[in-house]
Amino acid sequence: MRLDKYICKVLDLSRTRTASLLEEDRVKLSDRSVKASRKMQEGDILEIHMPPAQSLEVLPEKMDLDIVYEDEDIIVINKPKGMVVHPAPGHMEHTLVNGLLYHCQDLSGINGVKRPGIVHRIDKDTSGLLVVAKNDMAHESLAAQLQDKSLRRIYRAIVHHPFSHTIGTVDAPIGRDEKDRQKMAVTAKNSKPAVTHFTVLENFKDYAYIECSLETGRTHQIRVHMAYIQHPVAGDPKYGPRKTIEAGGQLLHAMQLELIHPRTKEKMHFEAPLDPTFAKVLAELEKEAANA
């Protein structure tokens, strides 16, 4: 295997990250500089000198947040389509975390400087509910609920192709796509278990409206699983077909959230209406079906 591919695979680094390590001469093979194309051989001694992590300051930013619920421990947000949840290098502004820091001043520090308070996330173009921890006690409780599945998340999606059955479960492990490091895939290599349950709410001529509940929380799980069973989420530029509904991203909405309050131990249920773009597409499909 080529040296650069070997580093990507073993350390789970992106191609860009690996290329920069090589360009900065941070990779040594048997104590010598080496090219990315060099083929790895048995007995090679590889040294990688990782640069120290940079502390990136995340600045509070005033923005209108759709707050569904808030108390001293947690805040439940209805995230709009198009908003990134947490900052990343090259994208340190206009994220949900920037807005939360302005609104709350303080969030749990368990996930570090770039992801304060973030217990779980939803993709940029997925809309809907997520809960944020305002202190470490709440964060630890919510993280434990994710593990034992008492924190429940229910999504709505419009997917390609009608179904012949009304309920189903996709039980297929998800890991990094070997051909494209920016994507996830159903794979047996370096993967983790992933389970998605779904119910068909309405079938249309070319699409279906479904509800999904997650048993696990892998990156892009619903999008990957639905594409795997040949029902990709409509509007999805990453996992869907080229010919799809133009909706500025995948038609996926985190509609319901159930959790046990970290302090009071009360069972709580939250629900958010469909994103306007999603609701418009669904109404058009229903109107088309009624006139057929």
Side-chain angles (χ1 to χ4, degrees):
M1 187 183 293
R2 281 173 54 119
L3 173 68
D4 53 358
K5 289 187 176 180
Y6 180 82
I7 293 172
C8 283
K9 183 177 181 180
V10 173
L11 295 185
D12 196 25
L13 297 177
S14 68
R15 291 178 187 176
T16 304
R17 179 79 167 127
T18 300
S20 68
L21 289 171
L22 286 160
E23 287 168 10
E24 293 167 13
D25 200 27
R26 292 183 175 274
V27 180
K28 304 287 185 184
L29 200 59
S30 299
D31 209 29
R32 292 183 179 180
S33 299
V34 65
K35 292 184 178 179
S37 58
R38 203 272 198 186
K39 294 287 174 66
M40 295 295 291
Q41 298 173 13
E42 189 174 352
D44 281 340
I45 298 173
L46 185 65
E47 290 181 37
I48 302 174
H49 301 272
M50 302 294 285
Q54 293 182 340
S55 177
L56 298 172
E57 187 179 5
V58 181
L59 299 175
E61 194 174 327
K62 187 176 182 179
M63 59 180 69
D64 291 327
L65 298 175
D66 186 355
I67 299 170
V68 178
Y69 174 84
E70 182 179 12
D71 61 26
E72 62 182 324
D73 299 306
I74 64 172
I75 179 167
V76 178
I77 301 285
N78 181 20
K79 186 191 82 69
K81 188 182 186 75
M83 177 185 277
V84 175
V85 171
H86 57 73
H91 195 118
M92 297 298 293
E93 299 177 327
H94 315 313
T95 73
L96 178 61
V97 164
N98 294 105
L100 285 168
L101 286 172
Y102 183 92
H103 176 78
C104 301
Q105 278 79 54
D106 193 27
L107 295 166
S108 81
I110 288 176
N111 268 355
V113 66
K114 288 189 289 185
R115 304 187 184 194
I118 301 302
V119 182
H120 66 110
R121 58 182 289 275
I122 52 181
D123 300 328
K124 175 188 173 186
D125 291 322
T126 298
S127 57
L129 296 170
L130 78 164
V131 60
V132 176
K134 296 175 78 172
N135 53 60
D136 289 358
M137 178 279 293
H139 198 129
E140 288 172 354
S141 172
L142 294 169
Q145 290 179 49
L146 274 174
Q147 288 291 320
D148 67 20
K149 303 178 177 60
S150 55
L151 194 156
R152 296 188 65 234
R153 293 155 293 161
I154 297 174
Y155 291 73
R156 295 286 175 91
I158 294 174
V159 300
H160 282 264
H161 316 304
F163 286 83
S164 58
H165 49 285
T166 55
I167 61 171
T169 295
V170 186
D171 185 349
I174 291 176
R176 189 73 60 182
D177 190 321
E178 291 186 20
K179 296 178 182 177
D180 184 347
R181 304 292 296 175
Q182 301 300 313
K183 295 173 70 174
M184 307 301 287
V186 170
T187 175
K189 291 185 177 181
N190 300 316
S191 58
K192 293 181 180 180
V195 180
T196 305
H197 305 285
F198 66 90
T199 301
V200 180
L201 304 175
E202 286 184 80
N203 271 323
F204 303 106
K205 181 186 175 186
D206 298 313
Y207 299 93
Y209 178 39
I210 65 171
E211 182 172 279
C212 297
S213 63
L214 298 180
E215 205 170 293
T216 52
R218 308 301 170 217
T219 302
H220 302 167
Q221 181 172 314
I222 293 174
R223 299 163 67 189
V224 171
H225 271 173
M226 298 318 295
Y228 178 66
I229 63 168
Q230 308 302 313
H231 290 275
V233 177
D236 191 340
K238 193 179 287 284
Y239 300 101
R242 288 184 180 179
K243 188 177 180 182
T244 187
I245 296 172
E246 289 295 328
Q250 63 272 4
L251 288 164
L252 183 61
H253 176 72
M255 192 168 201
Q256 296 178 46
L257 182 67
E258 290 182 3
L259 57 91
I260 298 165
H261 192 280
R263 192 179 299 272
T264 67
K265 308 307 177 188
E266 174 192 359
K267 191 171 183 178
M268 307 183 82
H269 176 92
F270 304 99
E271 194 161 322
L274 291 173
D275 168 83
T277 303
F278 193 128
K280 182 182 177 183
V281 171
L282 181 60
E284 288 172 353
L285 288 173
E286 289 175 334
K287 183 179 178 181
E288 187 181 294
N291 294 334

